[in-house]
mmCIF file of all heavy atoms in Angstrom:
data_model
loop_
_atom_site.group_PDB
_atom_site.id
_atom_site.type_symbol
_atom_site.label_atom_id
_atom_site.label_comp_id
_atom_site.label_asym_id
_atom_site.label_seq_id
_atom_site.Cartn_x
_atom_site.Cartn_y
_atom_site.Cartn_z
ATOM 1 N N ASP C 333 20.821 0.858 -14.540
ATOM 2 C CA ASP C 333 21.692 -0.195 -14.010
ATOM 3 C C ASP C 333 20.896 -1.235 -13.220
ATOM 4 O O ASP C 333 21.227 -2.412 -13.190
ATOM 5 C CB ASP C 333 22.768 0.398 -13.086
ATOM 6 C CG ASP C 333 23.762 1.215 -13.902
ATOM 7 O OD1 ASP C 333 23.790 1.019 -15.156
ATOM 8 O OD2 ASP C 333 24.485 2.044 -13.322
ATOM 9 N N SER C 334 19.820 -0.756 -12.568
ATOM 10 C CA SER C 334 19.003 -1.669 -11.769
ATOM 11 C C SER C 334 18.304 -2.718 -12.635
ATOM 12 O O SER C 334 17.885 -3.760 -12.149
ATOM 13 C CB SER C 334 17.923 -0.854 -11.037
ATOM 14 O OG SER C 334 17.102 -0.168 -11.976
ATOM 15 N N GLY C 335 18.183 -2.425 -13.951
ATOM 16 C CA GLY C 335 17.430 -3.303 -14.859
ATOM 17 C C GLY C 335 16.083 -2.675 -15.212
ATOM 18 O O GLY C 335 15.301 -3.236 -15.980
ATOM 19 N N TYR C 336 15.842 -1.461 -14.668
ATOM 20 C CA TYR C 336 14.563 -0.768 -14.892
ATOM 21 C C TYR C 336 14.399 -0.367 -16.346
ATOM 22 O O TYR C 336 15.308 0.216 -16.936
ATOM 23 C CB TYR C 336 14.508 0.481 -14.000
ATOM 24 C CG TYR C 336 13.269 1.323 -14.159
ATOM 25 C CD1 TYR C 336 12.066 0.908 -13.635
ATOM 26 C CD2 TYR C 336 13.310 2.552 -14.829
ATOM 27 C CE1 TYR C 336 10.903 1.691 -13.767
ATOM 28 C CE2 TYR C 336 12.184 3.334 -14.958
ATOM 29 C CZ TYR C 336 10.989 2.896 -14.429
ATOM 30 O OH TYR C 336 9.854 3.675 -14.555
ATOM 31 N N ARG C 337 13.243 -0.706 -16.926
ATOM 32 C CA ARG C 337 12.936 -0.316 -18.318
ATOM 33 C C ARG C 337 11.555 0.321 -18.365
ATOM 34 O O ARG C 337 10.605 -0.202 -17.781
ATOM 35 C CB ARG C 337 12.993 -1.538 -19.248
ATOM 36 C CG ARG C 337 14.387 -2.119 -19.314
ATOM 37 C CD ARG C 337 14.470 -3.370 -20.139
ATOM 38 N NE ARG C 337 14.259 -3.082 -21.545
ATOM 39 C CZ ARG C 337 13.246 -3.565 -22.250
ATOM 40 N NH1 ARG C 337 12.361 -4.334 -21.692
ATOM 41 N NH2 ARG C 337 13.135 -3.261 -23.522
ATOM 42 N N SER C 338 11.481 1.445 -19.070
ATOM 43 C CA SER C 338 10.216 2.204 -19.143
ATOM 44 C C SER C 338 10.513 3.447 -20.005
ATOM 45 O O SER C 338 11.683 3.801 -20.165
ATOM 46 C CB SER C 338 9.857 2.643 -17.723
ATOM 47 O OG SER C 338 8.568 3.165 -17.656
ATOM 48 N N LEU C 339 9.478 4.046 -20.542
ATOM 49 C CA LEU C 339 9.693 5.324 -21.241
ATOM 50 C C LEU C 339 8.988 6.394 -20.434
ATOM 51 O O LEU C 339 7.813 6.233 -20.086
ATOM 52 C CB LEU C 339 9.106 5.259 -22.664
ATOM 53 C CG LEU C 339 9.447 6.462 -23.508
ATOM 54 C CD1 LEU C 339 10.861 6.361 -24.064
ATOM 55 C CD2 LEU C 339 8.470 6.632 -24.669
ATOM 56 N N HIS C 340 9.730 7.456 -20.102
ATOM 57 C CA HIS C 340 9.123 8.535 -19.324
ATOM 58 C C HIS C 340 8.989 9.786 -20.187
ATOM 59 O O HIS C 340 9.950 10.191 -20.826
ATOM 60 C CB HIS C 340 9.984 8.908 -18.120
ATOM 61 C CG HIS C 340 10.087 7.835 -17.080
ATOM 62 N ND1 HIS C 340 10.675 8.023 -15.849
ATOM 63 C CD2 HIS C 340 9.659 6.552 -17.078
ATOM 64 C CE1 HIS C 340 10.606 6.908 -15.154
ATOM 65 N NE2 HIS C 340 10.021 5.988 -15.883
ATOM 66 N N LEU C 341 7.794 10.370 -20.183
ATOM 67 C CA LEU C 341 7.625 11.679 -20.832
ATOM 68 C C LEU C 341 7.312 12.663 -19.709
ATOM 69 O O LEU C 341 6.442 12.406 -18.881
ATOM 70 C CB LEU C 341 6.440 11.661 -21.790
ATOM 71 C CG LEU C 341 6.466 10.711 -22.980
ATOM 72 C CD1 LEU C 341 5.196 10.898 -23.814
ATOM 73 C CD2 LEU C 341 7.692 10.920 -23.840
ATOM 74 N N ILE C 342 8.029 13.764 -19.712
ATOM 75 C CA ILE C 342 7.666 14.836 -18.782
ATOM 76 C C ILE C 342 6.867 15.830 -19.624
ATOM 77 O O ILE C 342 7.379 16.332 -20.623
ATOM 78 C CB ILE C 342 8.912 15.540 -18.164
ATOM 79 C CG1 ILE C 342 9.962 14.509 -17.685
ATOM 80 C CG2 ILE C 342 8.504 16.521 -17.090
ATOM 81 C CD1 ILE C 342 9.503 13.594 -16.610
ATOM 82 N N VAL C 343 5.611 16.029 -19.248
ATOM 83 C CA VAL C 343 4.774 16.925 -20.050
ATOM 84 C C VAL C 343 4.316 18.121 -19.203
ATOM 85 O O VAL C 343 4.213 18.037 -17.976
ATOM 86 C CB VAL C 343 3.521 16.215 -20.638
ATOM 87 C CG1 VAL C 343 3.911 15.022 -21.486
ATOM 88 C CG2 VAL C 343 2.539 15.766 -19.551
ATOM 89 N N TRP C 344 4.076 19.214 -19.913
ATOM 90 C CA TRP C 344 3.425 20.371 -19.300
ATOM 91 C C TRP C 344 1.924 20.163 -19.467
ATOM 92 O O TRP C 344 1.477 19.788 -20.554
ATOM 93 C CB TRP C 344 3.812 21.669 -19.981
ATOM 94 C CG TRP C 344 5.177 22.187 -19.698
ATOM 95 C CD1 TRP C 344 6.173 22.374 -20.636
ATOM 96 C CD2 TRP C 344 5.697 22.629 -18.449
ATOM 97 N NE1 TRP C 344 7.286 22.881 -20.030
ATOM 98 C CE2 TRP C 344 7.036 23.056 -18.689
ATOM 99 C CE3 TRP C 344 5.195 22.710 -17.155
ATOM 100 C CZ2 TRP C 344 7.844 23.549 -17.676
ATOM 101 C CZ3 TRP C 344 5.998 23.194 -16.156
ATOM 102 C CH2 TRP C 344 7.309 23.608 -16.412
ATOM 103 N N TYR C 345 1.176 20.429 -18.426
ATOM 104 C CA TYR C 345 -0.283 20.314 -18.508
ATOM 105 C C TYR C 345 -0.888 21.478 -17.745
ATOM 106 O O TYR C 345 -0.436 21.801 -16.642
ATOM 107 C CB TYR C 345 -0.728 18.961 -17.899
ATOM 108 C CG TYR C 345 -2.214 18.748 -17.974
ATOM 109 C CD1 TYR C 345 -2.835 18.450 -19.174
ATOM 110 C CD2 TYR C 345 -3.024 18.876 -16.837
ATOM 111 C CE1 TYR C 345 -4.211 18.260 -19.255
ATOM 112 C CE2 TYR C 345 -4.395 18.693 -16.914
ATOM 113 C CZ TYR C 345 -4.978 18.392 -18.127
ATOM 114 O OH TYR C 345 -6.325 18.223 -18.204
ATOM 115 N N VAL C 346 -1.905 22.099 -18.338
ATOM 116 C CA VAL C 346 -2.498 23.284 -17.693
ATOM 117 C C VAL C 346 -3.809 22.889 -16.997
ATOM 118 O O VAL C 346 -4.699 22.308 -17.624
ATOM 119 C CB VAL C 346 -2.776 24.393 -18.731
ATOM 120 C CG1 VAL C 346 -3.447 25.599 -18.078
ATOM 121 C CG2 VAL C 346 -1.463 24.812 -19.402
ATOM 122 N N VAL C 347 -3.891 23.201 -15.689
ATOM 123 C CA VAL C 347 -5.163 23.001 -14.994
ATOM 124 C C VAL C 347 -5.795 24.367 -14.758
ATOM 125 O O VAL C 347 -5.102 25.358 -14.579
ATOM 126 C CB VAL C 347 -4.993 22.253 -13.619
ATOM 127 C CG1 VAL C 347 -4.694 20.799 -13.817
ATOM 128 C CG2 VAL C 347 -3.955 22.917 -12.759
ATOM 129 N N GLN C 348 -7.117 24.377 -14.784
ATOM 130 C CA GLN C 348 -7.844 25.628 -14.552
ATOM 131 C C GLN C 348 -8.227 25.689 -13.076
ATOM 132 O O GLN C 348 -8.926 24.803 -12.587
ATOM 133 C CB GLN C 348 -9.095 25.706 -15.426
ATOM 134 C CG GLN C 348 -8.821 25.573 -16.924
ATOM 135 C CD GLN C 348 -7.958 26.720 -17.478
ATOM 136 O OE1 GLN C 348 -8.022 27.861 -16.986
ATOM 137 N NE2 GLN C 348 -7.175 26.424 -18.508
#
Side-chain angles (χ1 to χ4, degrees):
D333 291 342
S334 59
Y336 178 75
R337 296 176 69 243
S338 191
L339 188 80
H340 293 188
L341 299 182
I342 313 299
V343 302
W344 285 119
Y345 181 74
V346 178
V347 286
Q348 302 297 329

